[in-house]
Amino acid sequence: MRSENRSTGQGPGEGKRRSFIEEARRAQIIDAAVETIAEFGYVDASLARIAQRADISKGVISYHFDGKDELLEQVVVQVYGAIAEEVGPKVRARGNGREALRTHILEVARHMQSHRARLLALTAIFAGARTRDGSPRYGQADNEPIYQGLESMFRRGQEEGEFRDFDVRVMAVTLQGALDSMFSYWVARPEYDMEDHARELAEMFDRATRASSR
Amino acid sequence: MRSENRSTGQGPGEGKRRSFIEEARRAQIIDAAVETIAEFGYVDASLARIAQRADISKGVISYHFDGKDELLEQVVVQVYGAIAEEVGPKVRARGNGREALRTHILEVARHMQSHRARLLALTAIFAGARTRDGSPRYGQADNEPIYQGLESMFRRGQEEGEFRDFDVRVMAVTLQGALDSMFSYWVARPEYDMEDHARELAEMFDRATRASSR
Amino acid sequence: MRSENRSTGQGPGEGKRRSFIEEARRAQIIDAAVETIAEFGYVDASLARIAQRADISKGVISYHFDGKDELLEQVVVQVYGAIAEEVGPKVRARGNGREALRTHILEVARHMQSHRARLLALTAIFAGARTRDGSPRYGQADNEPIYQGLESMFRRGQEEGEFRDFDVRVMAVTLQGALDSMFSYWVARPEYDMEDHARELAEMFDRATRASSR
Amino acid sequence: MRSENRSTGQGPGEGKRRSFIEEARRAQIIDAAVETIAEFGYVDASLARIAQRADISKGVISYHFDGKDELLEQVVVQVYGAIAEEVGPKVRARGNGREALRTHILEVARHMQSHRARLLALTAIFAGARTRDGSPRYGQADNEPIYQGLESMFRRGQEEGEFRDFDVRVMAVTLQGALDSMFSYWVARPEYDMEDHARELAEMFDRATRASSR
DNA sequence: TATGAATGAGCATTCATTCAT
DNA sequence: CATGAATGAATGCTCATTCAT
């Protein structure tokens, strides 16, 4: 997405290989950014606040990242990466069909529970980040990989007769929306039992997708 | 939610009776705010830009509204009001149960289609607005009326045996999430057929909610 | 040179008609900029310092000017305008030839003496201002009107036989350079007698230009 | 001019004897500085950019030079030295009087042509560099040696009756200004024939200086 | 010798808000 | 009622310099 090399910057370039300590700093800053955005939202997550939370000077962020945009992009990359890495394999292990669908829902819920701040930051960035001309910087396009993963799951279930014949794209979008709304609801109510919610969701989507019995 | 009284003595207070021209100005400004937020997002919808779109001076906004916060609150109120006024009656006219659910989905989709900017502004404000201390200014709490309307619809359907015995809160949250994701998906793809999507959604939720056929 | 309208700015647009008090403020700021640049040079003439000298807040400058670039451009315009307005007519009054040349030199010197800061600022801006890509923002191109004025003076003198047959462009560039170096020399030595210098210069250029006497 | 000793104990001091490799590094850095300043101007010739052009790390510059100020001073010294070394002897070889003047003009032009970047850097530094208190770091004082050289040339010509009786200081300042303006004019127009210009200049100054013919 | 890392001051600019007219 | 003018805080960013390794 970003492509130009830094014209004058002092820090290491973007594609450059990075030292261990460089990577550690970047990770630390990304973490601080995640927490700050999760707590204060996109608008108020200034470099000053992020630096303060990381207990470093503002300049360090500029040194290690090309700018605020690159930092936020790395946050997005990191969060997406983590979820793909954690949830993906478990779902694929289930084979396809009804069990995979149920596993996806429950595992995503579990992931949300253990990475609350990350996902909060992700949604904040998605909602808030804009390009220079005012249009959203991130958007549905970035969900495409998720949708395609879900679709292939649905499609196989349909081919094997477990699932009825529905529009897989609509189902994917809907499932993602259902999970998002579950997360938002839980975030606002820390005592809420998200696992219970996820189990209800699994039942719902099972009914919504399965082939008409006998 | 807002509590402080206006700090300066100028302009009409909040609960004050308002002249006709005063109301017209407020409506004009609210409209400009809606369009600006829809186009540029929460962060970049500065009073300057809103005033520019309304073709008035920035000071006018401060005169008619207690501040940016009140303006945004009025946007929220207006958007919520419009949807309740337009969709609510049609749904209630359907009686309850399966027909009402289907109607709700299709009518919300229709409303989204004809009020794209308003809903865009609403989601932007929800995602972006924060209180002084950093916590979200709006949130799930504001969805409560919607949830309760859906719940009562679901509960009656259950009592009358049309719907199976599911958790009505989870179903309400999920339905809302499904509609939101549909809207977002359509917003990013102007050529997308949202009505088709809505019909698929209706079918899905029908299956997810109806009493097990025998 | 600048053409885009301010995208969001709060102040009056560039081509707009300006109120009296608006013009007064602009003039005041331009004056402060001139003095600041004359004293501190291009680099250190920050908006903060300029505002401080004008005894206003930094924001006022941004309000009245589109940005630092526009402010500096106005400085250039103003300084060039003043010199053209003051010196031009006096020279033209002399008819052409030897008298005009002498008058030009003496009048420019007089002008330099009474507008030291302005000319200092002008040279600083010329030397320091760069475009985004690093190339000079102002340059010889901006001297073109001056050169052409001198050239037409020389050319008429040649036609009338007062001046010998020299390259008018070289003579124009040289005369301008001679005046510039006189100014710089004087600036560094406040007690230096610039009028004397100017008279010597007039003698020199008279000899350098006049038709060989016989 | 510089007086403070280096603040930290690292790196070689200013008057210290320097190893061969140390000198090589300094020369390399000075060259990079010259090119960078010539291209980007004084303001934008940051240490980062200079280091980048020299393909070394920024720290190296700080190691070999006491700070940016010393680096720029060395640039000035080097450029001045080169011109004195190259032009001076040729002029002196001419004896004095009219031939020496002509030779000076033509040789300076030749030198400018082959050291465009150096002279560009020099003028940029002269115009841009300031001391802590805002006053110019370099100035007319630094031209003093040049003026004195020219003056002694003129004076001898006067004594021998070749030159008329003019103010030698004014003539020196004017000649230097004429050469500077020639350079600037050429810099902005790469295709311009500077040698031609120089020949015209020689003719002009010959006429301006020579004793009235019989 | 050389480097990468870090700092903190300073920069131009944008913003919501206030206020006299 | 409406405006234009002004404010001062905050933002992202660049820079010369320092310093441990």
mmCIF file of all heavy atoms in Angstrom, chain B residues 1-37:
data_model
loop_
_atom_site.group_PDB
_atom_site.id
_atom_site.type_symbol
_atom_site.label_atom_id
_atom_site.label_comp_id
_atom_site.label_asym_id
_atom_site.label_seq_id
_atom_site.Cartn_x
_atom_site.Cartn_y
_atom_site.Cartn_z
ATOM 1 N N MET B 1 -28.084 13.156 29.157
ATOM 2 C CA MET B 1 -26.664 12.888 28.814
ATOM 3 C C MET B 1 -25.870 14.181 28.899
ATOM 4 O O MET B 1 -24.951 14.305 29.671
ATOM 5 C CB MET B 1 -26.566 12.301 27.410
ATOM 6 C CG MET B 1 -25.248 11.596 27.159
ATOM 7 S SD MET B 1 -25.458 10.209 26.036
ATOM 8 C CE MET B 1 -26.312 9.017 27.085
ATOM 9 N N ARG B 2 -26.341 15.192 28.137
ATOM 10 C CA ARG B 2 -25.711 16.488 28.342
ATOM 11 C C ARG B 2 -26.277 17.068 29.605
ATOM 12 O O ARG B 2 -27.440 16.910 29.927
ATOM 13 C CB ARG B 2 -26.009 17.425 27.165
ATOM 14 C CG ARG B 2 -25.267 17.038 25.903
ATOM 15 C CD ARG B 2 -25.385 18.132 24.886
ATOM 16 N NE ARG B 2 -24.819 19.385 25.406
ATOM 17 C CZ ARG B 2 -25.504 20.269 26.114
ATOM 18 N NH1 ARG B 2 -26.774 20.090 26.389
ATOM 19 N NH2 ARG B 2 -24.912 21.363 26.559
ATOM 20 N N SER B 3 -25.461 17.776 30.348
ATOM 21 C CA SER B 3 -26.022 18.281 31.584
ATOM 22 C C SER B 3 -25.651 19.731 31.843
ATOM 23 O O SER B 3 -26.482 20.507 32.294
ATOM 24 C CB SER B 3 -25.555 17.418 32.748
ATOM 25 O OG SER B 3 -24.142 17.420 32.797
ATOM 26 N N GLU B 4 -24.430 20.094 31.545
ATOM 27 C CA GLU B 4 -24.018 21.463 31.826
ATOM 28 C C GLU B 4 -24.881 22.463 31.078
ATOM 29 O O GLU B 4 -25.261 22.246 29.930
ATOM 30 C CB GLU B 4 -22.559 21.668 31.403
ATOM 31 C CG GLU B 4 -21.598 20.779 32.135
ATOM 32 C CD GLU B 4 -20.195 21.000 31.611
ATOM 33 O OE1 GLU B 4 -20.072 21.503 30.479
ATOM 34 O OE2 GLU B 4 -19.259 20.680 32.323
ATOM 35 N N ASN B 5 -25.128 23.547 31.726
ATOM 36 C CA ASN B 5 -25.809 24.618 31.020
ATOM 37 C C ASN B 5 -24.827 25.361 30.144
ATOM 38 O O ASN B 5 -23.632 25.350 30.392
ATOM 39 C CB ASN B 5 -26.447 25.578 32.023
ATOM 40 C CG ASN B 5 -27.842 25.113 32.378
ATOM 41 O OD1 ASN B 5 -28.479 24.440 31.567
ATOM 42 N ND2 ASN B 5 -28.303 25.429 33.576
ATOM 43 N N ARG B 6 -25.337 26.014 29.130
ATOM 44 C CA ARG B 6 -24.453 26.758 28.247
ATOM 45 C C ARG B 6 -23.693 27.778 29.067
ATOM 46 O O ARG B 6 -24.215 28.395 29.993
ATOM 47 C CB ARG B 6 -25.248 27.411 27.134
ATOM 48 C CG ARG B 6 -26.332 28.359 27.611
ATOM 49 C CD ARG B 6 -27.121 28.890 26.433
ATOM 50 N NE ARG B 6 -26.228 29.461 25.470
ATOM 51 C CZ ARG B 6 -26.021 28.937 24.258
ATOM 52 N NH1 ARG B 6 -26.625 27.860 23.899
ATOM 53 N NH2 ARG B 6 -25.197 29.498 23.431
ATOM 54 N N SER B 7 -22.467 27.992 28.679
ATOM 55 C CA SER B 7 -21.605 28.822 29.491
ATOM 56 C C SER B 7 -21.825 30.317 29.262
ATOM 57 O O SER B 7 -21.695 31.105 30.168
ATOM 58 C CB SER B 7 -20.144 28.489 29.192
ATOM 59 O OG SER B 7 -19.947 28.404 27.807
ATOM 60 N N THR B 8 -22.148 30.677 28.048
ATOM 61 C CA THR B 8 -22.324 32.096 27.798
ATOM 62 C C THR B 8 -23.789 32.413 27.668
ATOM 63 O O THR B 8 -24.618 31.538 27.432
ATOM 64 C CB THR B 8 -21.621 32.542 26.508
ATOM 65 O OG1 THR B 8 -22.518 32.334 25.432
ATOM 66 C CG2 THR B 8 -20.360 31.786 26.285
ATOM 67 N N GLY B 9 -24.086 33.690 27.759
ATOM 68 C CA GLY B 9 -25.482 34.068 27.780
ATOM 69 C C GLY B 9 -26.106 34.220 26.404
ATOM 70 O O GLY B 9 -27.272 34.557 26.294
ATOM 71 N N GLN B 10 -25.323 33.960 25.358
ATOM 72 C CA GLN B 10 -25.859 34.228 24.031
ATOM 73 C C GLN B 10 -26.629 33.040 23.483
ATOM 74 O O GLN B 10 -26.452 31.926 23.904
ATOM 75 C CB GLN B 10 -24.732 34.576 23.079
ATOM 76 C CG GLN B 10 -23.915 35.738 23.581
ATOM 77 C CD GLN B 10 -22.972 36.231 22.515
ATOM 78 O OE1 GLN B 10 -23.125 35.902 21.356
ATOM 79 N NE2 GLN B 10 -22.013 37.033 22.901
ATOM 80 N N GLY B 11 -27.467 33.333 22.537
ATOM 81 C CA GLY B 11 -28.160 32.270 21.843
ATOM 82 C C GLY B 11 -29.202 31.618 22.728
ATOM 83 O O GLY B 11 -29.208 31.783 23.934
ATOM 84 N N PRO B 12 -30.102 30.897 22.116
ATOM 85 C CA PRO B 12 -31.180 30.249 22.840
ATOM 86 C C PRO B 12 -30.643 29.061 23.608
ATOM 87 O O PRO B 12 -29.774 28.344 23.129
ATOM 88 C CB PRO B 12 -32.125 29.778 21.726
ATOM 89 C CG PRO B 12 -31.382 29.917 20.450
ATOM 90 C CD PRO B 12 -30.102 30.606 20.689
ATOM 91 N N GLY B 13 -31.131 28.851 24.774
ATOM 92 C CA GLY B 13 -30.725 27.698 25.572
ATOM 93 C C GLY B 13 -31.263 26.425 24.958
ATOM 94 O O GLY B 13 -31.925 26.458 23.913
ATOM 95 N N GLU B 14 -31.038 25.338 25.664
ATOM 96 C CA GLU B 14 -31.368 24.075 25.034
ATOM 97 C C GLU B 14 -32.858 23.745 25.102
ATOM 98 O O GLU B 14 -33.452 23.288 24.136
ATOM 99 C CB GLU B 14 -30.549 22.962 25.669
ATOM 100 C CG GLU B 14 -30.397 21.772 24.751
ATOM 101 C CD GLU B 14 -29.718 20.654 25.499
ATOM 102 O OE1 GLU B 14 -29.067 20.926 26.531
ATOM 103 O OE2 GLU B 14 -29.844 19.513 25.057
ATOM 104 N N GLY B 15 -33.415 23.980 26.255
ATOM 105 C CA GLY B 15 -34.818 23.618 26.406
ATOM 106 C C GLY B 15 -35.749 24.743 25.964
ATOM 107 O O GLY B 15 -36.955 24.548 25.861
ATOM 108 N N LYS B 16 -35.142 25.853 25.649
ATOM 109 C CA LYS B 16 -35.928 27.036 25.273
ATOM 110 C C LYS B 16 -36.877 26.773 24.109
ATOM 111 O O LYS B 16 -36.603 25.936 23.258
ATOM 112 C CB LYS B 16 -34.970 28.169 24.852
ATOM 113 C CG LYS B 16 -34.115 28.714 25.960
ATOM 114 C CD LYS B 16 -34.851 29.735 26.783
ATOM 115 C CE LYS B 16 -33.934 30.281 27.868
ATOM 116 N NZ LYS B 16 -32.718 30.907 27.307
ATOM 117 N N ARG B 17 -37.931 27.536 24.103
ATOM 118 C CA ARG B 17 -38.772 27.480 22.928
ATOM 119 C C ARG B 17 -38.014 28.157 21.788
ATOM 120 O O ARG B 17 -37.245 29.081 21.994
ATOM 121 C CB ARG B 17 -40.099 28.198 23.163
ATOM 122 C CG ARG B 17 -41.236 27.507 22.397
ATOM 123 C CD ARG B 17 -42.583 27.766 23.055
ATOM 124 N NE ARG B 17 -42.564 27.398 24.467
ATOM 125 C CZ ARG B 17 -43.236 28.071 25.404
ATOM 126 N NH1 ARG B 17 -43.951 29.128 25.075
ATOM 127 N NH2 ARG B 17 -43.186 27.676 26.663
ATOM 128 N N ARG B 18 -38.210 27.672 20.582
ATOM 129 C CA ARG B 18 -37.432 28.203 19.463
ATOM 130 C C ARG B 18 -38.331 28.796 18.400
ATOM 131 O O ARG B 18 -39.371 28.238 18.088
ATOM 132 C CB ARG B 18 -36.598 27.094 18.842
ATOM 133 C CG ARG B 18 -35.304 26.868 19.596
ATOM 134 C CD ARG B 18 -34.455 25.868 18.876
ATOM 135 N NE ARG B 18 -34.534 24.573 19.514
ATOM 136 C CZ ARG B 18 -33.771 24.210 20.533
ATOM 137 N NH1 ARG B 18 -32.884 25.039 21.018
ATOM 138 N NH2 ARG B 18 -33.885 23.018 21.060
ATOM 139 N N SER B 19 -37.901 29.882 17.842
ATOM 140 C CA SER B 19 -38.678 30.497 16.777
ATOM 141 C C SER B 19 -38.630 29.624 15.536
ATOM 142 O O SER B 19 -37.811 28.714 15.418
ATOM 143 C CB SER B 19 -38.090 31.864 16.440
ATOM 144 O OG SER B 19 -36.880 31.689 15.740
ATOM 145 N N PHE B 20 -39.485 29.953 14.607
ATOM 146 C CA PHE B 20 -39.528 29.184 13.375
ATOM 147 C C PHE B 20 -38.198 29.252 12.627
ATOM 148 O O PHE B 20 -37.633 28.224 12.230
ATOM 149 C CB PHE B 20 -40.647 29.737 12.486
ATOM 150 C CG PHE B 20 -40.586 29.202 11.095
ATOM 151 C CD1 PHE B 20 -40.938 27.877 10.831
ATOM 152 C CD2 PHE B 20 -40.149 30.002 10.046
ATOM 153 C CE1 PHE B 20 -40.868 27.375 9.553
ATOM 154 C CE2 PHE B 20 -40.076 29.493 8.765
ATOM 155 C CZ PHE B 20 -40.442 28.178 8.523
ATOM 156 N N ILE B 21 -37.708 30.466 12.512
ATOM 157 C CA ILE B 21 -36.482 30.617 11.738
ATOM 158 C C ILE B 21 -35.315 29.968 12.446
ATOM 159 O O ILE B 21 -34.428 29.374 11.816
ATOM 160 C CB ILE B 21 -36.205 32.113 11.397
ATOM 161 C CG1 ILE B 21 -34.741 32.456 11.498
ATOM 162 C CG2 ILE B 21 -37.012 33.056 12.207
ATOM 163 C CD1 ILE B 21 -34.436 33.793 10.854
ATOM 164 N N GLU B 22 -35.378 30.032 13.761
ATOM 165 C CA GLU B 22 -34.367 29.336 14.557
ATOM 166 C C GLU B 22 -34.365 27.835 14.242
ATOM 167 O O GLU B 22 -33.333 27.221 13.996
ATOM 168 C CB GLU B 22 -34.670 29.583 16.047
ATOM 169 C CG GLU B 22 -34.064 28.599 17.019
ATOM 170 C CD GLU B 22 -32.669 28.982 17.429
ATOM 171 O OE1 GLU B 22 -32.151 30.003 16.933
ATOM 172 O OE2 GLU B 22 -32.071 28.248 18.233
ATOM 173 N N GLU B 23 -35.544 27.247 14.194
ATOM 174 C CA GLU B 23 -35.637 25.811 13.916
ATOM 175 C C GLU B 23 -35.137 25.494 12.515
ATOM 176 O O GLU B 23 -34.499 24.480 12.279
ATOM 177 C CB GLU B 23 -37.075 25.312 14.079
ATOM 178 C CG GLU B 23 -37.495 25.023 15.521
ATOM 179 C CD GLU B 23 -36.638 23.931 16.175
ATOM 180 O OE1 GLU B 23 -35.799 23.327 15.491
ATOM 181 O OE2 GLU B 23 -36.808 23.701 17.377
ATOM 182 N N ALA B 24 -35.449 26.387 11.576
ATOM 183 C CA ALA B 24 -35.032 26.151 10.200
ATOM 184 C C ALA B 24 -33.512 26.144 10.102
ATOM 185 O O ALA B 24 -32.908 25.290 9.449
ATOM 186 C CB ALA B 24 -35.606 27.237 9.297
ATOM 187 N N ARG B 25 -32.908 27.088 10.795
ATOM 188 C CA ARG B 25 -31.452 27.146 10.792
ATOM 189 C C ARG B 25 -30.859 25.870 11.379
ATOM 190 O O ARG B 25 -29.926 25.286 10.823
ATOM 191 C CB ARG B 25 -30.992 28.338 11.647
ATOM 192 C CG ARG B 25 -30.668 29.571 10.850
ATOM 193 C CD ARG B 25 -29.361 29.372 10.131
ATOM 194 N NE ARG B 25 -28.848 30.646 9.604
ATOM 195 C CZ ARG B 25 -28.710 30.906 8.331
ATOM 196 N NH1 ARG B 25 -29.041 30.000 7.428
ATOM 197 N NH2 ARG B 25 -28.225 32.069 7.943
ATOM 198 N N ARG B 26 -31.408 25.453 12.488
ATOM 199 C CA ARG B 26 -30.896 24.231 13.113
ATOM 200 C C ARG B 26 -31.012 23.039 12.165
ATOM 201 O O ARG B 26 -30.080 22.249 12.007
ATOM 202 C CB ARG B 26 -31.644 23.946 14.415
ATOM 203 C CG ARG B 26 -31.177 24.811 15.584
ATOM 204 C CD ARG B 26 -32.025 24.616 16.823
ATOM 205 N NE ARG B 26 -31.992 23.283 17.394
ATOM 206 C CZ ARG B 26 -31.232 22.934 18.420
ATOM 207 N NH1 ARG B 26 -30.416 23.801 18.981
ATOM 208 N NH2 ARG B 26 -31.254 21.699 18.883
ATOM 209 N N ALA B 27 -32.143 22.940 11.503
ATOM 210 C CA ALA B 27 -32.330 21.815 10.586
ATOM 211 C C ALA B 27 -31.320 21.876 9.445
ATOM 212 O O ALA B 27 -30.718 20.866 9.064
ATOM 213 C CB ALA B 27 -33.756 21.826 10.039
ATOM 214 N N GLN B 28 -31.122 23.083 8.947
ATOM 215 C CA GLN B 28 -30.174 23.258 7.846
ATOM 216 C C GLN B 28 -28.766 22.846 8.272
ATOM 217 O O GLN B 28 -28.042 22.173 7.537
ATOM 218 C CB GLN B 28 -30.184 24.732 7.418
ATOM 219 C CG GLN B 28 -29.150 25.083 6.375
ATOM 220 C CD GLN B 28 -28.875 26.594 6.317
ATOM 221 O OE1 GLN B 28 -29.275 27.340 7.219
ATOM 222 N NE2 GLN B 28 -28.179 27.007 5.265
ATOM 223 N N ILE B 29 -28.414 23.254 9.457
ATOM 224 C CA ILE B 29 -27.078 22.921 9.951
ATOM 225 C C ILE B 29 -26.938 21.418 10.192
ATOM 226 O O ILE B 29 -25.927 20.802 9.851
ATOM 227 C CB ILE B 29 -26.768 23.704 11.244
ATOM 228 C CG1 ILE B 29 -26.684 25.204 10.934
ATOM 229 C CG2 ILE B 29 -25.483 23.210 11.884
ATOM 230 C CD1 ILE B 29 -26.686 26.091 12.163
ATOM 231 N N ILE B 30 -27.994 20.826 10.755
ATOM 232 C CA ILE B 30 -27.942 19.377 10.996
ATOM 233 C C ILE B 30 -27.771 18.634 9.672
ATOM 234 O O ILE B 30 -26.975 17.700 9.575
ATOM 235 C CB ILE B 30 -29.217 18.916 11.735
ATOM 236 C CG1 ILE B 30 -29.177 19.440 13.178
ATOM 237 C CG2 ILE B 30 -29.339 17.403 11.717
ATOM 238 C CD1 ILE B 30 -30.445 19.181 13.967
ATOM 239 N N ASP B 31 -28.479 19.074 8.670
ATOM 240 C CA ASP B 31 -28.334 18.427 7.361
ATOM 241 C C ASP B 31 -26.911 18.547 6.834
ATOM 242 O O ASP B 31 -26.332 17.575 6.340
ATOM 243 C CB ASP B 31 -29.297 19.052 6.349
ATOM 244 C CG ASP B 31 -30.711 18.513 6.533
ATOM 245 O OD1 ASP B 31 -30.885 17.569 7.326
ATOM 246 O OD2 ASP B 31 -31.638 19.043 5.893
ATOM 247 N N ALA B 32 -26.372 19.738 6.947
ATOM 248 C CA ALA B 32 -25.007 19.928 6.465
ATOM 249 C C ALA B 32 -24.041 19.049 7.239
ATOM 250 O O ALA B 32 -23.102 18.471 6.674
ATOM 251 C CB ALA B 32 -24.601 21.397 6.597
ATOM 252 N N ALA B 33 -24.285 18.919 8.526
ATOM 253 C CA ALA B 33 -23.416 18.069 9.344
ATOM 254 C C ALA B 33 -23.500 16.626 8.881
ATOM 255 O O ALA B 33 -22.495 15.936 8.723
ATOM 256 C CB ALA B 33 -23.803 18.184 10.816
ATOM 257 N N VAL B 34 -24.712 16.167 8.638
ATOM 258 C CA VAL B 34 -24.907 14.787 8.179
ATOM 259 C C VAL B 34 -24.111 14.534 6.905
ATOM 260 O O VAL B 34 -23.352 13.567 6.801
ATOM 261 C CB VAL B 34 -26.405 14.502 7.935
ATOM 262 C CG1 VAL B 34 -26.586 13.259 7.073
ATOM 263 C CG2 VAL B 34 -27.135 14.349 9.252
ATOM 264 N N GLU B 35 -24.256 15.422 5.963
ATOM 265 C CA GLU B 35 -23.566 15.211 4.681
ATOM 266 C C GLU B 35 -22.047 15.267 4.836
ATOM 267 O O GLU B 35 -21.321 14.481 4.235
ATOM 268 C CB GLU B 35 -24.009 16.271 3.675
ATOM 269 C CG GLU B 35 -25.450 16.063 3.193
ATOM 270 C CD GLU B 35 -25.973 17.318 2.520
ATOM 271 O OE1 GLU B 35 -25.143 18.079 1.977
ATOM 272 O OE2 GLU B 35 -27.207 17.553 2.548
ATOM 273 N N THR B 36 -21.617 16.200 5.646
ATOM 274 C CA THR B 36 -20.171 16.345 5.813
ATOM 275 C C THR B 36 -19.563 15.127 6.504
ATOM 276 O O THR B 36 -18.530 14.612 6.087
ATOM 277 C CB THR B 36 -19.862 17.607 6.637
ATOM 278 O OG1 THR B 36 -20.525 18.721 6.050
ATOM 279 C CG2 THR B 36 -18.367 17.859 6.679
ATOM 280 N N ILE B 37 -20.223 14.681 7.553
ATOM 281 C CA ILE B 37 -19.702 13.505 8.259
ATOM 282 C C ILE B 37 -19.741 12.291 7.345
ATOM 283 O O ILE B 37 -18.812 11.484 7.316
ATOM 284 C CB ILE B 37 -20.505 13.250 9.543
ATOM 285 C CG1 ILE B 37 -20.375 14.448 10.479
ATOM 286 C CG2 ILE B 37 -20.034 11.977 10.237
ATOM 287 C CD1 ILE B 37 -21.341 14.421 11.645
#
